[in-house]
Amino acid sequence: MEMTDHPGGFDVDVILVSWNRAADTVDAVRSALDQKQVRQRVIVIDQGSEPAELAQLEAYLADRPQVVFRKLGRNVGVPAGRNAASALGQAPFIVALDSDAVFADRFMLRRAVDHMAARPALCAIGFRITNYFTGRNDELSWDYPGNRRPDEHFPTTRFIGAGHCIRRSVFERVGRYDESLFFSGEELDLCYRMLGTGHRIEYVPAVEILHKVSPDGRVRWRQNRYRLTVRNHLYTLRKFGAPWSRLALATGAFVVRGTRNGAGSQALAGAWQSLALCAAFERSTEDKSHYRLSAETWRYIHDCEPTRRDSLVIKLARQFQRLPHQ
C-alpha cells in the first residue's frame, strides 16, 4: 500500500471512547495496534470509568507509547467523547471503533484507508458489523433499508457508530459532532451535514468488525434510550428545517410507539426536552448553513432511504411495532 504524505506521519487515527469494560477496551486497542500495512495512531478517551476498571486499562497502556490516552473523569456522552479523541489526532482519516469491538482481521484498517484514499468524493464509510459471539449480522447495529443485505456494497446516508471511517477534512468543515445529542442519532446528524458538502457515504462490507454485543444493554429503551431517541430525533428534524407541524406529528408517533412498548413517559419527556434544545439552537450564533441542504442532497437522501416514500398508513403501522430487545 502506498502511504499518504501528511502531518504527523499517520494514515489514520483510530479513536475509542471507553467507559468501564476495561477488558473489552484492551482487546479493542490491541486489535487496532495489530493492524498491518498501515500507519495508525490509537487514541483512547476514558469517560469516568470505575477506579478498578481504569487501573486495568492504564496498566495495559502504560508501556504503549503509540497510544494516546486521556481521562475526562466523567461521562460527557458519545459525540463529545469522539470529538475529544479526534481533536488529539491529525491523520486524514478517523476510524471509530466501539470499545467492545475488534477488527475481523489484521488488514481491515488498511482496506478502509485504501477505499477512502481512492475515492475523494466519499466523506465516510460504514463497516460491516458482525456479532462476535454468533458470527451473524449484528441486527442491533443495522440501520439500513430493509432491501439491503449485510454482504452488499451500497450508497447510503449514514454509518453505524460501532465501526466507521470519516474523512477528517469534511468532519471538521461541518463542525464535528453536535455534543448536545449525548447519545443516539449523533451519527445521522453529522452524516446529513457532511452529505450537504456534496460528498457521499458508502456501506463497505469488505471492512468488517466483530462486535461483542453487550448482554446488559447499558442504555435501555424503557430507561433513557427512548427518551434520548425522541429528544434527539425531534431536535435534529428542527435543525434541518422541519416545520413545527411536522414535529408535532412526529411527537404523536413517538408517543404511540412508546406507549405500545411501555415507554410512553419517556416519549413525553424526550419531546419536552427537545424544545429546549431547539430553542438553544435557534438562539445560537453558530454557522447553520450546514443544516440547509440542497435539493440535490435531499434527492440523494430520498433515493437511499426508500421508506421516506411509504404511505401514511404504512408509516402509522410502524408505530405499533415492538422496539428492539435492547
Side-chain angles (χ1 to χ4, degrees):
M1 167 182 144
E2 181 180 354
M3 299 300 184
T4 53
D5 183 16
H6 51 77
F10 294 101
D11 299 292
V12 58
D13 292 318
V14 182
I15 64 171
L16 295 97
V17 177
S18 66
W19 180 48
N20 296 319
R21 292 198 303 211
D24 286 339
T25 304
V26 166
D27 285 346
V29 172
R30 182 183 293 114
S31 176
L33 293 175
D34 284 347
Q35 293 294 292
K36 302 300 184 183
Q37 298 181 6
V38 67
R39 295 178 298 196
Q40 72 273 42
R41 168 173 32 205
V42 180
I43 302 170
V44 181
I45 292 288
D46 186 80
Q47 302 207 93
S49 292
E50 295 296 326
E53 298 277 349
L54 186 58
Q56 182 180 348
L57 180 58
E58 289 183 303
Y60 172 77
L61 298 178
D63 60 349
R64 288 170 173 80
Q66 65 271 54
V67 179
V68 178
F69 181 50
R70 294 290 184 274
K71 295 178 286 187
L72 300 185
R74 63 190 180 92
N75 188 352
V76 298
V78 174
R82 288 187 187 147
N83 281 348
S86 300
L88 295 173
Q90 294 180 316
F93 304 114
I94 302 166
V95 164
L97 185 68
D98 263 12
S99 62
D100 59 348
V102 295
F103 291 101
D105 67 35
R106 293 186 173 186
F107 300 94
M108 290 296 156
L109 204 52
R110 188 195 76 177
R111 289 184 187 177
V113 170
D114 281 354
H115 193 92
M116 293 288 288
R119 297 164 179 81
L122 292 181
C123 59
I125 59 173
F127 301 165
R128 183 172 187 170
I129 304 174
T130 298
N131 187 306
Y132 180 93
F133 303 106
T134 68
R136 296 190 293 269
N137 183 50
D138 178 6
E139 296 297 337
L140 292 174
S141 297
W142 181 260
D143 189 27
Y144 300 105
N147 63 337
R148 297 297 191 180
R149 303 189 316 272
D151 60 350
E152 177 187 6
H153 186 146
F154 53 83
T156 182
T157 60
R158 65 196 69 196
F159 53 72
I160 306 305
H164 60 272
C165 180
I166 300 175
R167 190 178 302 274
R168 179 183 290 277
S169 60
V170 184
F171 175 67
E172 294 180 347
R173 175 179 168 184
V174 302
R176 308 189 302 169
Y177 282 104
D178 180 345
E179 298 183 1
S180 66
L181 292 170
F182 192 82
F183 173 86
S184 180
E186 66 274 2
E187 295 93 359
L188 188 61
D189 173 83
L190 172 67
C191 285
Y192 274 27
R193 282 182 279 136
M194 293 196 298
L195 290 172
T197 68
H199 290 78
R200 294 297 177 250
I201 302 171
E202 291 180 351
Y203 169 78
V204 182
V207 185
E208 182 182 9
I209 66 165
L210 308 179
H211 189 204
K212 300 175 185 178
V213 180
S214 175
D216 57 2
R218 297 202 295 179
V219 184
R220 295 182 180 276
W221 288 111
R222 295 186 185 183
Q223 296 171 3
N224 284 323
R225 187 166 186 169
Y226 197 63
R227 174 182 62 82
L228 292 170
T229 297
V230 173
R231 185 197 72 166
N232 293 351
H233 184 85
L234 296 174
Y235 170 48
T236 300
L237 280 177
R238 184 61 180 171
K239 285 196 292 180
F240 284 99
W244 287 108
S245 57
R246 183 178 174 192
L247 267 65
L249 288 173
T251 297
F254 276 124
V255 170
V256 168
R257 192 172 191 189
T259 301
R260 163 76 170 155
N261 288 274
S265 61
Q266 295 296 316
L268 291 171
W272 177 254
Q273 291 169 8
S274 73
L275 296 177
L277 288 179
C278 290
F281 174 76
E282 293 177 2
R283 288 195 307 267
S284 73
T285 58
E286 71 174 274
D287 180 9
K288 299 180 176 63
S289 63
H290 296 303
Y291 292 96
R292 303 297 175 254
L293 305 184
S294 68
E296 179 183 0
T297 299
W298 280 117
R299 280 194 295 271
Y300 175 84
I301 290 172
H302 281 80
D303 287 344
C304 291
E305 299 178 7
T307 56
R308 284 178 170 268
R309 300 191 182 96
D310 287 346
S311 68
L312 180 60
V313 172
I314 293 176
K315 290 179 179 178
L316 287 174
R318 279 201 293 268
Q319 305 316 311
F320 292 92
Q321 295 174 353
R322 290 290 184 185
L323 291 169
H325 175 65
Q326 291 192 64

